[in-house]
Amino acid sequence: MRVPGVGAEGQHRLSRARVLFIGAGGLGAPAALYLAGAGVGTLGIVDDDVVDLSNLHRQIVHTTAAVGEPKTESARRTLQALNPDVTVECLTTRLTAGNAVDLLRGWDMVLDGSDDFATRYLVSDAAAVLGIPHVWASVMASGGQLSVFDAARGPVYRDLFPVMPAPGSVPSCAQAGVLPVVPGILGVAMAAEALKLALGLSSPLVGRVAIYDMLTAEWDQVPVQAHPQVKRPSTAAEVGAGLPPTVTVEELADVLGQAGALARAGASEDRGSLLSVLDVRTAAERAAGTVPGSVHVPVEEIEEDPLRVLDGLGGGAGTVYVFCASGARSARAAHALRRAGAEAVDVLGGYEAWERRIGDGRGPAEKQTGRQQTSEQETPGGGEWRHG
């Protein structure tokens, strides 16, 4: 309260502020802790993942006792232990094109700590539609980037990346690794930008990207401007325009259920023409459980010859749903299939999300044989892919 420009009125403004976090991971964790400690009145957390032991070195809002628990609930417990006066709203769901505007509506700003390009585009689009600031950061290895996107007074995320990088061309934090202090530094910097926005202090990082290098302890800034060929969304229907098609595991389960009902009713003579579900993981991963009715085609085979894979599926007349463990490999596979002319849809969150939220993944290997017979009678396809 003694900081110039804050005072009692500033603290009161913080107590009325509503800040939404996309992700309670390496970036969201430190940012949320500092904003809760600063007295921000309401924090919202959008995350459909659970706490994993391998992430605790950087996701400091969680503890070993919370492993397996939804990240939203774990974060709420820690934040309210730090500041009992803060309200934490848990939104345990995955942000999609269909729900992005509804999730962001009613918040003063959004702090985006997501780890994939598609989500960042969706967050930026929804923020642009609603006219709220989008504080963004990303990290990898020993460095990171930070900016504030605000359609009302500067560029948006699409201006920085007019074309989404091809799947696999840029590794995620989980794939490439990161020194744990790096997301801590960038997350605290995100919290600083949020405080500036909430209090009206100084100049937020609008129209600039700050680049941090831990190895040299240097910060650089580069300007970013509105791109003349970028069209900003103005309605909820335009959010996510141009992005590759995706479905949640709940949506996939609904599709499989409908297809199974049609098959049982004899409504389709060629069930394979309706849809295919491809498991692009390794054989060892699949042996531990899979989506019922799916066909196993490793991602390497799809990337090597997608037309051959489609021919093995019967020509690929219908929609092809693709999943892996968590999303990285399936994005690559779906990209290759679309380039070959297929209607390929990436399953968000992969089998990890299916097992966690649908829970009928055929379990241990010794249970697979009996269940597979049932599932293949009720859903299209199933088994191992064979060509010719």
Side-chain angles (χ1 to χ4, degrees), residues 162-184:
V163 178
M164 188 170 81
S169 61
V170 180
S172 68
C173 174
Q175 293 171 306
V178 64
L179 292 168
V181 296
V182 174

Side-chain angles (χ1 to χ4, degrees), residues 85-332:
D85 294 326
V86 67
T87 298
V88 180
E89 298 186 12
C90 296
L91 304 168
T92 309
T93 188
R94 178 174 286 269
L95 186 137
T96 67
N99 66 16
V101 170
D102 288 338
L103 288 173
L104 269 63
R105 183 178 285 114
W107 298 92
D108 299 328
M109 68 189 79
V110 56
L111 272 62
D112 178 11
S114 61
D115 194 24
D116 67 275
F117 284 100
T119 301
R120 295 166 188 161
Y121 281 102
L122 294 177
V123 174
S124 183
D125 285 356
V129 169
L130 296 170
I132 63 174
H134 167 208
V135 182
W136 159 80
S138 67
V139 295
M140 185 184 300
S142 59
Q145 301 174 327
L146 168 75
S147 190
V148 176
F149 301 112
D150 190 340
R153 51 177 167 169
V156 297
Y157 186 75
R158 285 183 183 264
D159 294 314
L160 182 61
F161 295 101
V163 178
M164 188 170 81
S169 61
V170 180
S172 68
C173 174
Q175 293 171 306
V178 64
L179 292 168
V181 296
V182 174
I185 292 167
L186 270 295
V188 171
M190 292 176 77
E193 293 301 314
L195 288 177
K196 287 157 61 177
L197 290 166
L199 294 169
L201 291 176
S202 188
S203 301
L205 203 60
V206 175
R208 297 169 290 155
V209 176
I211 303 172
Y212 174 69
D213 185 341
M214 189 204 77
L215 299 181
T216 62
E218 292 179 341
W219 284 90
D220 293 316
Q221 288 190 17
V222 296
V224 58
Q225 298 178 338
H227 194 285
Q229 297 181 343
V230 167
K231 182 182 182 299
R232 300 183 181 184
S234 57
T235 66
E238 296 174 311
V239 170
L243 297 182
T246 60
V247 294
T248 64
V249 292
E250 289 84 359
E251 290 168 333
L252 177 61
D254 288 342
V255 169
L256 292 175
Q258 293 167 11
L262 287 172
R264 290 192 299 273
S268 172
E269 295 181 0
D270 183 7
R271 292 185 296 159
S273 67
L274 293 173
L275 61 91
S276 298
V277 182
L278 296 187
D279 181 347
V280 303
R281 301 172 300 161
T282 65
E285 289 175 294
R286 181 175 172 83
T290 191
V291 174
S294 63
V295 177
H296 184 221
V297 189
V299 63
E300 294 81 8
E301 294 185 27
I302 294 174
E303 292 181 318
E304 180 180 351
D305 194 344
L307 288 173
R308 182 170 177 265
V309 170
L310 291 174
D311 182 58
L313 293 173
T319 303
V320 182
Y321 296 91
V322 188
F323 73 93
C324 62
S326 60
R329 287 170 289 177
S330 61
R332 289 164 42 200

